[in-house]
Amino acid sequence: MGAVKTRRMPRAVREQQMLDAAVQIFGRRGYMTASMDEIAELAGVSKPLVYLYLNSKEDLFSACIRREAAALTEAVRAGVRPGLPADRRLWEGLRAFFTHTAHHPDGWAVLHLQARTHGEPFASEIDALRKEIVAFVTLLIAEAARDARRDPDLPEREVAGLGEALVGAAESLADWANATEGVTARQAAATLMNFAWAGLGDLMEGRPWTPPAAEDRQVQGLSS
Amino acid sequence: MGAVKTRRMPRAVREQQMLDAAVQIFGRRGYMTASMDEIAELAGVSKPLVYLYLNSKEDLFSACIRREAAALTEAVRAGVRPGLPADRRLWEGLRAFFTHTAHHPDGWAVLHLQARTHGEPFASEIDALRKEIVAFVTLLIAEAARDARRDPDLPEREVAGLGEALVGAAESLADWANATEGVTARQAAATLMNFAWAGLGDLMEGRPWTPPAAEDRQVQGLSS
Amino acid sequence: MGAVKTRRMPRAVREQQMLDAAVQIFGRRGYMTASMDEIAELAGVSKPLVYLYLNSKEDLFSACIRREAAALTEAVRAGVRPGLPADRRLWEGLRAFFTHTAHHPDGWAVLHLQARTHGEPFASEIDALRKEIVAFVTLLIAEAARDARRDPDLPEREVAGLGEALVGAAESLADWANATEGVTARQAAATLMNFAWAGLGDLMEGRPWTPPAAEDRQVQGLSS
Amino acid sequence: MGAVKTRRMPRAVREQQMLDAAVQIFGRRGYMTASMDEIAELAGVSKPLVYLYLNSKEDLFSACIRREAAALTEAVRAGVRPGLPADRRLWEGLRAFFTHTAHHPDGWAVLHLQARTHGEPFASEIDALRKEIVAFVTLLIAEAARDARRDPDLPEREVAGLGEALVGAAESLADWANATEGVTARQAAATLMNFAWAGLGDLMEGRPWTPPAAEDRQVQGLSS
DNA sequence: CATGAATGAGTTTTCATTCAT
DNA sequence: CATGAATGAAAACTCATTCAT
């Protein structure tokens, strides 16, 4: 065991190794602090090869962002079965989200922490990703409102704000779950689902939102 | 005859000028991209003086973080009148929070964007701030639960998760309000209060949380 | 059915293609700025083949210099018919020289601009070429002096200086002719022949040197 | 004697030292081969100081070109007394030119060899200098033609060519004089003056142009 | 022979930081 | 104290050159 000095690999493979290393370093050190030397060393290649394949530090960082963003959205998309009611879809999406961020903490750090902090090439890419997610969530909320047949026209800006709030809460909980020993993705998802769907008021009245029993009885939650 | 070139100011004043400049530069350019030259120039002092007073770039950044963190917590604390019911106190805290972040965007950027991104000296300082706020919010939630006299012992971890979610939502909305033309601090606070207190479920049933009418009639919200 | 992709050519041909490419790139970009990648690509061969045949960038550049130097001297030599009087031989040599530099601007740039600029391996090669040409011109001058039967022993150093001056003027006019729209090789040669043979003094007295009418009537010149 | 470790010098002085070093290195090694490390070391300062004062390698090279160009034109201008007949003015200009190039071989190399070889920022600067000199010489020739009262309208292009030829010859002789032991500036100037003014034809007839006897009797030349 | 994979060694450039005056 | 002079250390990036297949 242990990486034998593997030389002469096809370009596609090497590129993935470089991206793996870059995501790790960028996620932990930040864009500016990360050095191309470090990344090349961690990837097990020489610096010129990194430049040959990825062109520049900026391009490398962009490639990381795009790869991790694609992986995250794909994970969430794959986790949501269409055809279910809105609350179920949200629940599944959250589970997928927390599972993914738990398994890819460095990638999550790149997207959530690092990419937003640095200048224009990157901020826009993250904005696009975030807008996509907020739009997705917002759609779910609007759909749910339609299902509830009351107040069918939630004001646009309000809904946008709600989407922002929900996504922000999710981001925050992802960090918290990663940092707190013993918090699973399911628990994080359930906490957020309760918070968002039932609201603090209901929660305190003992009326939480209930995760689907079929999958897993009473996962966890605030219920008695 | 105002002092065109104010010289020989007391140290405390000069330090504040430097911190003002530093917060602005750090908030806009980021920690690594900011240069001490820029900061000294903007502060209107010589670089060696910056070093004399603040020792190093790291110390300067830490001082910024501490000052902005103190200002933010103080603003929130000052905005909350004790003795009111928990939901009112949360409402007031949120209003104060969004008002402060709207008035100090650079300071908010330092705390929320820059400080988290860079290595260990700073992350802990931000963690402390965040823990303090989360604890504050968590206390409010626990108190409210006690008031509601139902399910008096919300599990600790659950409550922590709720606090995290609420704070995360607030952070996200602060950015959103700062970036979106025409969104006031009150609107942001109301949106979040509705989201958190009533929950999406209640909102969609047409039962929003209502901001106190005494202060300001029907600010905004999802109600008809 | 021409060979769309000509492979397996004899070594000598391939080498010439590489030298063609190298002369073009070196002449336009300069020695240091030119990259072996560019040259290999323009030559339509793989980089390792370039190294196999030409060994190194230095050797490649030297080979370019030698080939272009040989081509230039050969062109001049071939343009001069022996047995004619000295002024006619000089005239023919100049015509051949300006014709060649006009047809091979990249090769001329390599010899005149690039090779002199870079360190020792190359400077000597150019020096050799230049000495050869200066010697040729100097011989012509000495011969002409002998023909004139006056002052038969022009001091050696003086004659050397005259050769240098004539060659320098030719180099300068070659650049000028290449850069100036509408100046032909004949015109350049006539200008220089007038300048050198008749001298400014005679020119201004209206006594130019006259190009041989048999070849081409009154090409151009300062004559009325 | 020897440079004592002189520290803390005023900026203007240090800048000249840096330019001195840069001219030497650039003149001998060429623009691309010269390294900023070498230049800084020769100047006796650290590299950052070079960048602080001269901004970049390109700017440094440009500064060298401008300084040396100004010095050369100034030397020639100062050497020519107005009011004399054209041939005398040319003679004095040439003497000043060869004297200057002999005393500043590195500066001359920068102007004549290095600056022409490298890309667009520099080529234009040199072109401007050269055009200025060619125009100066051309004017002299035209003036002389007017004085001679024959053929008063030498065709423009012809005269331009003559100026180019004369300047090219001068450049070439400057290199030759610098490379050849025992050739003085006066000798170089006289050789060129003879060549240009009297022409090879007259020279071989034993009718050289004669340098002004008042200054220095029969300097050298082809005269018997 | 042809080619894609790979790199050692160097280059320009920047910045936080410190003295001497 | 204020200021201009000065630098150590490191970072991004490039290129000629070589193997393994």
Side-chain angles (χ1 to χ4, degrees):
Chain A
M1 309 138 221
V4 263
K5 194 79 172 179
T6 18
R7 304 183 142 270
R8 297 271 153 177
M9 322 200 29
R11 172 170 182 153
V13 177
R14 271 281 192 261
E15 272 189 16
Q16 287 310 312
Q17 292 178 336
M18 291 177 192
L19 287 177
D20 289 343
V23 166
Q24 187 176 132
I25 300 282
F26 281 139
R28 295 178 188 185
R29 292 239 198 301
Y31 176 65
M32 307 256 11
T33 310
S35 94
M36 294 298 270
D37 277 291
E38 267 180 312
I39 292 172
E41 187 180 352
L42 183 60
V45 297
S46 71
K47 227 187 326 170
L49 198 59
V50 178
Y51 277 90
L52 186 62
Y53 286 172
L54 277 318
N55 296 319
S56 73
K57 195 183 187 184
E58 241 185 75
D59 283 6
L60 175 57
F61 194 47
S62 270
C64 290
I65 293 176
R66 278 196 303 276
R67 193 184 75 165
E68 296 304 313
L72 178 56
T73 53
E74 180 48 29
V76 172
R77 203 177 309 280
V80 174
R81 277 168 299 175
L84 295 181
D87 64 333
R88 286 294 175 84
R89 309 231 310 279
L90 182 55
W91 159 250
E92 291 187 337
L94 291 176
R95 279 211 351 178
F97 174 76
F98 288 116
T99 301
H100 187 87
T101 55
H103 283 102
H104 303 86
D106 292 327
W108 173 239
V110 165
L111 295 177
H112 180 47
L113 247 53
Q114 306 304 342
R116 321 202 70 167
T117 318
H118 305 98
E120 241 326 286
F122 317 126
S124 338
E125 307 205 48
I126 284 300
D127 257 35
L129 167 67
R130 208 172 188 275
K131 279 211 177 79
E132 194 180 346
I133 294 187
V134 169
F136 175 71
V137 169
T138 302
L139 191 71
L140 249 50
I141 296 177
E143 252 179 72
R146 214 168 14 256
D147 291 354
R149 322 228 166 249
R150 286 288 302 268
D151 205 349
D153 308 299
L154 289 173
E156 281 242 347
R157 167 161 297 164
E158 273 311 318
V159 177
L162 292 174
E164 287 282 342
L166 183 46
V167 168
E171 291 169 339
S172 195
L173 281 176
D175 290 347
W176 172 73
N178 276 354
T180 309
E181 201 60 35
V183 175
T184 67
R186 286 192 68 97
Q187 287 171 325
T191 300
L192 180 50
M193 200 63 201
N194 266 300
F195 176 71
W197 212 260
L200 293 175
D202 280 2
L203 282 180
M204 287 174 306
E205 304 290 334
R207 282 182 272 123
W209 176 88
T210 315
E215 294 185 319
D216 182 331
R217 284 208 56 80
Q218 274 302 77
V219 187
Q220 111 297 18
L222 302 169
S223 64
S224 58
Chain B
M1 295 147 195
V4 179
K5 182 142 194 186
T6 24
R7 301 182 141 273
R8 296 278 160 180
M9 319 185 56
R11 168 163 181 158
V13 177
R14 271 274 142 91
E15 270 190 24
Q16 288 310 311
Q17 292 179 336
M18 293 177 193
L19 288 177
D20 289 343
V23 166
Q24 187 177 130
I25 300 281
F26 282 140
R28 295 177 188 187
R29 292 238 199 301
Y31 176 63
M32 306 269 353
T33 310
S35 94
M36 295 298 271
D37 283 275
E38 266 179 312
I39 293 172
E41 187 182 349
L42 183 60
V45 299
S46 71
K47 220 181 345 168
L49 194 60
V50 178
Y51 279 90
L52 187 62
Y53 284 173
L54 276 319
N55 296 317
S56 74
K57 195 185 189 184
E58 248 186 64
D59 285 5
L60 175 56
F61 192 49
S62 275
C64 290
I65 294 175
R66 277 195 303 274
R67 192 183 77 165
E68 296 305 312
L72 177 57
T73 54
E74 180 49 30
V76 172
R77 205 177 307 279
V80 175
R81 279 167 299 176
L84 294 182
D87 65 334
R88 288 292 176 85
R89 307 224 320 271
L90 182 54
W91 160 249
E92 290 186 338
L94 291 176
R95 280 214 350 181
F97 173 78
F98 288 117
T99 303
H100 186 87
T101 55
H103 284 104
H104 303 86
D106 291 330
W108 174 239
V110 165
L111 294 177
H112 181 47
L113 247 52
Q114 305 304 340
R116 324 201 69 168
T117 319
H118 305 98
E120 238 328 287
F122 318 125
S124 339
E125 310 208 49
I126 285 301
D127 257 34
L129 166 67
R130 213 168 186 280
K131 281 213 176 77
E132 194 178 347
I133 294 189
V134 168
F136 175 72
V137 170
T138 302
L139 191 70
L140 249 49
I141 295 176
E143 252 180 72
R146 212 167 16 257
D147 291 355
R149 319 226 167 253
R150 288 287 303 267
D151 204 350
D153 307 299
L154 289 172
E156 279 233 353
R157 167 161 298 163
E158 271 313 316
V159 176
L162 292 174
E164 286 283 344
L166 183 46
V167 168
E171 291 170 339
S172 194
L173 282 175
D175 290 348
W176 173 72
N178 275 355
T180 308
E181 200 60 35
V183 174
T184 68
R186 285 192 68 95
Q187 287 171 324
T191 299
L192 181 50
M193 199 64 199
N194 265 299
F195 177 70
W197 210 261
L200 293 176
D202 279 3
L203 283 178
M204 286 175 307
E205 304 290 333
R207 282 181 271 124
W209 176 89
T210 316
E215 297 183 318
D216 182 329
R217 288 206 55 81
Q218 272 303 76
V219 187
Q220 109 296 20
L222 300 172
S223 62
S224 59
Chain C
M1 305 159 185
V4 178
K5 184 143 194 185
T6 22
R7 301 184 140 273
R8 295 278 161 179
M9 318 184 54
R11 170 163 182 157
V13 177
R14 271 274 141 90
E15 270 191 24
Q16 288 310 311
Q17 291 178 337
M18 293 178 194
L19 288 177
D20 288 343
V23 166
Q24 185 176 132
I25 301 281
F26 282 139
R28 296 179 187 186
R29 292 238 198 302
Y31 177 62
M32 305 270 350
T33 310
S35 93
M36 294 299 270
D37 282 278
E38 266 178 313
I39 293 172
E41 188 182 347
L42 183 60
V45 299
S46 71
K47 220 182 343 167
L49 193 60
V50 178
Y51 279 90
L52 186 63
Y53 284 173
L54 277 319
N55 294 317
S56 74
K57 196 184 188 185
E58 250 188 61
D59 285 5
L60 174 57
F61 193 48
S62 275
C64 290
I65 294 175
R66 277 195 303 275
R67 193 184 75 165
E68 296 304 312
L72 177 57
T73 53
E74 180 48 29
V76 172
R77 204 177 308 279
V80 175
R81 278 168 299 175
L84 294 182
D87 65 334
R88 286 295 174 85
R89 298 205 354 253
L90 182 55
W91 159 249
E92 290 186 339
L94 289 177
R95 278 213 351 180
F97 173 78
F98 288 116
T99 301
H100 186 87
T101 56
H103 283 103
H104 303 85
D106 292 328
W108 174 239
V110 165
L111 294 177
H112 180 48
L113 246 52
Q114 304 303 341
R116 325 201 69 168
T117 319
H118 304 97
E120 238 326 286
F122 317 124
S124 337
E125 310 207 46
I126 286 299
D127 259 34
L129 165 68
R130 214 171 184 278
K131 280 212 177 77
E132 194 179 346
I133 294 189
V134 169
F136 175 72
V137 170
T138 303
L139 191 70
L140 248 50
I141 296 176
E143 253 179 70
R146 207 162 27 251
D147 290 355
R149 322 229 166 251
R150 286 285 304 267
D151 204 350
D153 307 300
L154 288 173
E156 279 235 352
R157 167 161 299 165
E158 270 314 315
V159 176
L162 291 174
E164 286 282 343
L166 182 46
V167 169
E171 290 169 341
S172 194
L173 281 176
D175 290 347
W176 173 73
N178 276 353
T180 308
E181 200 59 35
V183 175
T184 68
R186 286 192 69 96
Q187 286 171 325
T191 299
L192 181 49
M193 200 64 200
N194 266 300
F195 176 70
W197 210 260
L200 293 175
D202 280 2
L203 283 178
M204 287 174 307
E205 304 289 333
R207 282 182 271 122
W209 175 89
T210 315
E215 294 185 320
D216 182 331
R217 288 205 54 78
Q218 272 302 76
V219 186
Q220 110 298 17
L222 300 170
S223 62
S224 58
Chain D
M1 328 137 201
V4 262
K5 191 82 172 178
T6 18
R7 306 187 140 267
R8 296 272 153 177
M9 325 204 23
R11 173 170 180 151
V13 177
R14 271 279 190 261
E15 270 188 16
Q16 287 310 312
Q17 293 179 335
M18 292 177 192
L19 287 177
D20 290 343
V23 166
Q24 186 176 132
I25 300 282
F26 281 140
R28 295 178 187 186
R29 291 239 196 300
Y31 177 64
M32 307 254 14
T33 310
S35 95
M36 295 299 270
D37 276 292
E38 268 180 312
I39 293 172
E41 187 180 353
L42 183 60
V45 297
S46 70
K47 232 185 324 171
L49 198 59
V50 178
Y51 278 90
L52 187 63
Y53 287 170
L54 276 319
N55 297 318
S56 72
K57 195 183 188 184
E58 239 185 77
D59 283 6
L60 175 56
F61 193 48
S62 269
C64 290
I65 293 175
R66 278 196 303 276
R67 193 183 76 165
E68 296 305 313
L72 177 56
T73 53
E74 180 49 30
V76 172
R77 204 176 308 278
V80 175
R81 277 168 301 175
L84 295 182
D87 65 333
R88 287 293 177 85
R89 308 232 308 280
L90 183 56
W91 159 250
E92 290 186 339
L94 290 176
R95 279 215 346 181
F97 173 78
F98 288 116
T99 302
H100 186 88
T101 55
H103 283 103
H104 303 86
D106 292 327
W108 173 240
V110 165
L111 294 176
H112 179 48
L113 247 52
Q114 306 304 342
R116 320 202 72 168
T117 317
H118 305 97
E120 239 327 285
F122 317 126
S124 337
E125 308 205 50
I126 284 300
D127 257 35
L129 167 67
R130 206 169 191 277
K131 279 211 178 76
E132 195 180 345
I133 294 188
V134 168
F136 175 71
V137 169
T138 302
L139 191 71
L140 248 51
I141 296 177
E143 253 180 70
R146 215 171 9 261
D147 291 356
R149 318 223 170 256
R150 288 285 304 266
D151 204 351
D153 307 300
L154 289 172
E156 280 241 347
R157 167 161 298 164
E158 272 312 315
V159 176
L162 292 175
E164 286 283 343
L166 181 45
V167 169
E171 291 169 339
S172 194
L173 281 177
D175 291 347
W176 172 72
N178 277 353
T180 309
E181 200 60 36
V183 175
T184 68
R186 284 193 70 95
Q187 286 172 324
T191 299
L192 180 50
M193 199 64 200
N194 266 299
F195 176 70
W197 212 261
L200 293 175
D202 279 3
L203 283 179
M204 287 174 307
E205 304 289 332
R207 284 182 269 121
W209 176 89
T210 316
E215 294 185 321
D216 182 332
R217 284 207 55 78
Q218 273 300 76
V219 186
Q220 109 304 9
L222 300 171
S223 63
S224 58

